[in-house]
Amino acid sequence: MAVFAVLLPFLLLGVVLALGRYEELLLPAEPEPDAAEPAVSH
């Protein structure tokens, strides 16, 4: 039981990091609006 209590935080950290990576792949960051379309000044 003590081993489980010691390993549990590391397992949860791994799950959180894996979900963060999965979110980045699932929802890619949108490019900056300024970079996508150059501003035209008249």
Side-chain angles (χ1 to χ4, degrees):
M1 248 358 226
V3 174
F4 181 72
V6 170
L7 293 180
L8 184 62
F10 295 106
L11 292 175
L12 291 177
L13 178 62
V15 169
V16 169
L17 292 176
L19 287 176
R21 294 291 185 186
Y22 178 73
E23 182 184 5
E24 288 179 4
L25 293 175
L26 188 64
L27 303 171
E30 296 182 4
E32 294 286 333
D34 296 335
E37 298 179 10
V40 178
S41 60
H42 292 285

